[in-house]
Short mmCIF file of all heavy atoms in Angstrom, two decimals:
data_model
loop_
_atom_site.label_atom_id
_atom_site.label_comp_id
_atom_site.label_asym_id
_atom_site.label_seq_id
_atom_site.Cartn_x
_atom_site.Cartn_y
_atom_site.Cartn_z
N LEU D 194 3.19 -1.34 9.30
CA LEU D 194 2.11 -2.05 10.02
C LEU D 194 2.12 -1.78 11.52
O LEU D 194 1.07 -1.82 12.16
CB LEU D 194 2.21 -3.56 9.77
CG LEU D 194 1.95 -4.04 8.35
CD1 LEU D 194 2.16 -5.55 8.25
CD2 LEU D 194 0.53 -3.69 7.91
N VAL D 195 3.32 -1.50 12.08
CA VAL D 195 3.41 -1.32 13.53
C VAL D 195 2.58 -0.12 13.98
O VAL D 195 2.14 -0.05 15.12
CB VAL D 195 4.90 -1.17 13.95
CG1 VAL D 195 5.42 0.24 13.71
CG2 VAL D 195 5.07 -1.56 15.41
N LEU D 196 2.33 0.80 13.08
CA LEU D 196 1.53 1.98 13.41
C LEU D 196 0.03 1.69 13.32
O LEU D 196 -0.79 2.57 13.48
CB LEU D 196 1.91 3.15 12.50
CG LEU D 196 3.40 3.55 12.57
CD1 LEU D 196 3.76 4.56 11.51
CD2 LEU D 196 3.77 4.06 13.96
N GLU D 197 -0.29 0.41 13.01
CA GLU D 197 -1.67 -0.03 12.88
C GLU D 197 -2.46 0.84 11.93
O GLU D 197 -3.52 1.39 12.28
CB GLU D 197 -2.34 -0.10 14.27
CG GLU D 197 -1.59 -1.04 15.20
CD GLU D 197 -2.24 -1.16 16.56
OE1 GLU D 197 -3.43 -0.88 16.68
OE2 GLU D 197 -1.52 -1.55 17.51
N PRO D 198 -1.93 1.02 10.71
CA PRO D 198 -2.60 1.92 9.76
C PRO D 198 -3.94 1.35 9.32
O PRO D 198 -4.09 0.14 9.16
CB PRO D 198 -1.64 1.97 8.58
CG PRO D 198 -0.95 0.66 8.62
CD PRO D 198 -0.82 0.30 10.08
N ARG D 199 -4.88 2.22 9.13
CA ARG D 199 -6.17 1.79 8.59
C ARG D 199 -6.21 2.05 7.10
O ARG D 199 -7.08 1.58 6.40
CB ARG D 199 -7.30 2.50 9.35
CG ARG D 199 -7.24 2.06 10.85
CD ARG D 199 -8.22 2.78 11.70
NE ARG D 199 -9.56 2.52 11.24
CZ ARG D 199 -10.38 3.46 10.80
NH1 ARG D 199 -10.01 4.72 10.80
NH2 ARG D 199 -11.58 3.14 10.39
N LEU D 200 -5.22 2.82 6.62
CA LEU D 200 -5.03 3.01 5.18
C LEU D 200 -3.53 2.85 4.90
O LEU D 200 -2.70 3.56 5.46
CB LEU D 200 -5.50 4.41 4.76
CG LEU D 200 -5.18 4.81 3.31
CD1 LEU D 200 -5.79 3.84 2.32
CD2 LEU D 200 -5.67 6.23 3.03
N LEU D 201 -3.22 1.88 4.04
CA LEU D 201 -1.83 1.60 3.69
C LEU D 201 -1.60 2.09 2.26
O LEU D 201 -2.28 1.67 1.34
CB LEU D 201 -1.61 0.09 3.79
CG LEU D 201 -0.21 -0.48 3.83
CD1 LEU D 201 0.64 0.18 4.90
CD2 LEU D 201 -0.29 -1.99 4.07
N LEU D 202 -0.63 3.02 2.12
CA LEU D 202 -0.29 3.56 0.80
C LEU D 202 1.02 2.92 0.36
O LEU D 202 2.03 3.04 1.07
CB LEU D 202 -0.14 5.08 0.88
CG LEU D 202 -1.37 5.83 1.40
CD1 LEU D 202 -1.05 7.30 1.63
CD2 LEU D 202 -2.54 5.69 0.43
N MET D 203 1.02 2.24 -0.78
CA MET D 203 2.21 1.50 -1.19
C MET D 203 2.61 1.92 -2.60
O MET D 203 1.81 1.82 -3.54
CB MET D 203 1.93 -0.01 -1.13
CG MET D 203 1.43 -0.47 0.23
SD MET D 203 1.21 -2.25 0.37
CE MET D 203 2.86 -2.79 0.75
N ASP D 204 3.85 2.40 -2.74
CA ASP D 204 4.31 2.93 -4.03
C ASP D 204 5.32 1.97 -4.65
O ASP D 204 6.51 2.00 -4.32
CB ASP D 204 4.96 4.31 -3.81
CG ASP D 204 5.14 5.06 -5.12
OD1 ASP D 204 4.92 4.46 -6.19
OD2 ASP D 204 5.48 6.25 -5.07
N GLU D 205 4.86 1.12 -5.53
CA GLU D 205 5.69 0.10 -6.20
C GLU D 205 6.62 -0.60 -5.21
O GLU D 205 7.84 -0.68 -5.43
CB GLU D 205 6.53 0.76 -7.30
CG GLU D 205 5.70 1.45 -8.37
CD GLU D 205 6.57 1.88 -9.54
OE1 GLU D 205 7.28 1.02 -10.08
OE2 GLU D 205 6.54 3.07 -9.90
N PRO D 206 6.07 -1.15 -4.12
CA PRO D 206 6.95 -1.65 -3.06
C PRO D 206 7.79 -2.86 -3.45
O PRO D 206 8.83 -3.09 -2.86
CB PRO D 206 5.97 -2.03 -1.94
CG PRO D 206 4.69 -2.32 -2.65
CD PRO D 206 4.65 -1.38 -3.81
N PHE D 207 7.35 -3.62 -4.45
CA PHE D 207 8.08 -4.86 -4.77
C PHE D 207 8.76 -4.77 -6.15
O PHE D 207 9.22 -5.79 -6.68
CB PHE D 207 7.12 -6.06 -4.75
CG PHE D 207 6.32 -6.16 -3.46
CD1 PHE D 207 4.97 -6.49 -3.48
CD2 PHE D 207 6.92 -5.91 -2.22
CE1 PHE D 207 4.24 -6.59 -2.29
CE2 PHE D 207 6.20 -6.01 -1.03
CZ PHE D 207 4.86 -6.34 -1.07
N ALA D 208 8.82 -3.57 -6.72
CA ALA D 208 9.31 -3.42 -8.10
C ALA D 208 10.75 -3.86 -8.27
O ALA D 208 11.14 -4.35 -9.33
CB ALA D 208 9.14 -1.98 -8.55
N ALA D 209 11.57 -3.69 -7.22
CA ALA D 209 13.00 -4.00 -7.37
C ALA D 209 13.34 -5.46 -7.09
O ALA D 209 14.50 -5.84 -7.16
CB ALA D 209 13.80 -3.09 -6.43
N LEU D 210 12.33 -6.27 -6.80
CA LEU D 210 12.60 -7.65 -6.37
C LEU D 210 12.50 -8.64 -7.52
O LEU D 210 11.80 -8.38 -8.51
CB LEU D 210 11.61 -8.05 -5.27
CG LEU D 210 11.59 -7.11 -4.05
CD1 LEU D 210 10.50 -7.53 -3.08
CD2 LEU D 210 12.95 -7.10 -3.36
N ASP D 211 13.17 -9.78 -7.37
CA ASP D 211 13.06 -10.82 -8.40
C ASP D 211 11.63 -11.40 -8.40
O ASP D 211 10.89 -11.25 -7.42
CB ASP D 211 14.09 -11.93 -8.12
CG ASP D 211 13.75 -12.68 -6.86
OD1 ASP D 211 14.17 -12.25 -5.77
OD2 ASP D 211 13.03 -13.69 -6.95
N ALA D 212 11.28 -12.06 -9.50
CA ALA D 212 9.89 -12.49 -9.72
C ALA D 212 9.38 -13.42 -8.62
O ALA D 212 8.22 -13.30 -8.19
CB ALA D 212 9.77 -13.15 -11.08
N ILE D 213 10.24 -14.33 -8.14
CA ILE D 213 9.78 -15.31 -7.15
C ILE D 213 9.53 -14.63 -5.80
O ILE D 213 8.49 -14.83 -5.16
CB ILE D 213 10.78 -16.48 -7.02
CG1 ILE D 213 10.73 -17.28 -8.33
CG2 ILE D 213 10.44 -17.39 -5.84
CD1 ILE D 213 11.79 -18.34 -8.44
N THR D 214 10.48 -13.78 -5.37
CA THR D 214 10.30 -13.06 -4.11
C THR D 214 9.06 -12.17 -4.19
O THR D 214 8.28 -12.06 -3.25
CB THR D 214 11.54 -12.18 -3.82
OG1 THR D 214 12.69 -13.00 -3.93
CG2 THR D 214 11.49 -11.57 -2.45
N ARG D 215 8.90 -11.56 -5.35
CA ARG D 215 7.75 -10.67 -5.53
C ARG D 215 6.43 -11.43 -5.42
O ARG D 215 5.50 -11.00 -4.74
CB ARG D 215 7.88 -10.02 -6.91
CG ARG D 215 6.88 -8.95 -7.18
CD ARG D 215 7.22 -8.31 -8.52
NE ARG D 215 6.38 -7.16 -8.74
CZ ARG D 215 6.70 -6.18 -9.57
NH1 ARG D 215 7.82 -6.20 -10.22
NH2 ARG D 215 5.88 -5.18 -9.73
N ALA D 216 6.36 -12.59 -6.08
CA ALA D 216 5.13 -13.40 -6.02
C ALA D 216 4.86 -13.83 -4.58
O ALA D 216 3.72 -13.80 -4.10
CB ALA D 216 5.25 -14.61 -6.93
N THR D 217 5.93 -14.19 -3.85
CA THR D 217 5.77 -14.61 -2.45
C THR D 217 5.25 -13.44 -1.62
O THR D 217 4.32 -13.60 -0.81
CB THR D 217 7.13 -15.10 -1.89
OG1 THR D 217 7.61 -16.12 -2.75
CG2 THR D 217 6.99 -15.64 -0.48
N LEU D 218 5.84 -12.26 -1.81
CA LEU D 218 5.40 -11.10 -1.02
C LEU D 218 3.98 -10.67 -1.40
O LEU D 218 3.23 -10.19 -0.55
CB LEU D 218 6.39 -9.95 -1.19
CG LEU D 218 7.70 -10.12 -0.41
CD1 LEU D 218 8.64 -8.96 -0.65
CD2 LEU D 218 7.45 -10.26 1.09
N ASN D 219 3.61 -10.86 -2.65
CA ASN D 219 2.22 -10.58 -3.06
C ASN D 219 1.27 -11.44 -2.25
O ASN D 219 0.26 -10.96 -1.73
CB ASN D 219 2.01 -10.90 -4.54
CG ASN D 219 2.50 -9.82 -5.49
OD1 ASN D 219 2.46 -9.98 -6.70
ND2 ASN D 219 3.00 -8.72 -4.96
N GLU D 220 1.61 -12.74 -2.14
CA GLU D 220 0.74 -13.65 -1.38
C GLU D 220 0.71 -13.28 0.09
O GLU D 220 -0.34 -13.28 0.73
CB GLU D 220 1.20 -15.09 -1.56
CG GLU D 220 0.88 -15.63 -2.94
CD GLU D 220 1.72 -16.84 -3.32
OE1 GLU D 220 2.09 -17.62 -2.43
OE2 GLU D 220 2.00 -17.01 -4.52
N GLU D 221 1.89 -12.93 0.64
CA GLU D 221 1.95 -12.55 2.06
C GLU D 221 1.14 -11.29 2.32
O GLU D 221 0.48 -11.16 3.34
CB GLU D 221 3.40 -12.31 2.48
CG GLU D 221 4.14 -13.62 2.66
CD GLU D 221 5.56 -13.40 3.14
OE1 GLU D 221 5.90 -12.27 3.57
OE2 GLU D 221 6.34 -14.36 3.07
N LEU D 222 1.22 -10.35 1.39
CA LEU D 222 0.47 -9.10 1.57
C LEU D 222 -1.04 -9.38 1.59
O LEU D 222 -1.77 -8.84 2.43
CB LEU D 222 0.82 -8.11 0.44
CG LEU D 222 0.15 -6.75 0.53
CD1 LEU D 222 0.56 -6.01 1.79
CD2 LEU D 222 0.48 -5.90 -0.70
N LEU D 223 -1.48 -10.24 0.69
CA LEU D 223 -2.92 -10.58 0.68
C LEU D 223 -3.34 -11.25 1.98
O LEU D 223 -4.40 -10.96 2.53
CB LEU D 223 -3.23 -11.51 -0.48
CG LEU D 223 -3.50 -10.86 -1.82
CD1 LEU D 223 -4.06 -11.88 -2.79
CD2 LEU D 223 -4.46 -9.69 -1.69
N ARG D 224 -2.48 -12.13 2.47
CA ARG D 224 -2.77 -12.83 3.74
C ARG D 224 -2.88 -11.81 4.88
O ARG D 224 -3.82 -11.83 5.67
CB ARG D 224 -1.65 -13.83 4.01
CG ARG D 224 -1.76 -14.62 5.30
CD ARG D 224 -0.63 -15.63 5.47
NE ARG D 224 0.71 -15.06 5.36
CZ ARG D 224 1.32 -14.36 6.33
NH1 ARG D 224 0.71 -14.13 7.46
NH2 ARG D 224 2.54 -13.88 6.14
N LEU D 225 -1.93 -10.86 4.90
CA LEU D 225 -1.94 -9.84 5.96
C LEU D 225 -3.17 -8.95 5.86
O LEU D 225 -3.80 -8.61 6.86
CB LEU D 225 -0.69 -8.96 5.85
CG LEU D 225 0.58 -9.56 6.40
CD1 LEU D 225 1.77 -8.67 6.07
CD2 LEU D 225 0.46 -9.72 7.90
N CYS D 226 -3.51 -8.57 4.63
CA CYS D 226 -4.66 -7.68 4.45
C CYS D 226 -5.95 -8.39 4.85
O CYS D 226 -6.85 -7.78 5.42
CB CYS D 226 -4.75 -7.19 3.01
SG CYS D 226 -3.41 -6.10 2.61
N GLY D 227 -6.01 -9.70 4.53
CA GLY D 227 -7.19 -10.47 4.93
C GLY D 227 -7.32 -10.50 6.44
O GLY D 227 -8.41 -10.55 6.99
N ARG D 228 -6.18 -10.49 7.12
CA ARG D 228 -6.17 -10.62 8.58
C ARG D 228 -6.33 -9.28 9.28
O ARG D 228 -7.04 -9.16 10.26
CB ARG D 228 -4.83 -11.19 8.93
CG ARG D 228 -4.69 -11.85 10.24
CD ARG D 228 -3.31 -12.30 10.15
NE ARG D 228 -2.84 -13.24 11.07
CZ ARG D 228 -1.57 -13.66 11.00
NH1 ARG D 228 -0.79 -13.22 10.05
NH2 ARG D 228 -1.13 -14.50 11.87
#
Side-chain angles (χ1 to χ4, degrees):
L194 293 177
V195 80
L196 302 172
E197 301 181 22
R199 297 175 60 241
L200 172 58
L201 195 53
L202 303 171
M203 305 184 83
D204 195 351
E205 301 189 53
F207 307 138
L210 305 175
D211 67 274
I213 292 172
T214 309
R215 188 174 187 158
T217 305
L218 285 179
N219 280 176
E220 287 160 31
E221 284 183 13
L222 182 63
L223 275 191
R224 179 178 54 77
L225 281 173
C226 291
R228 200 177 194 180

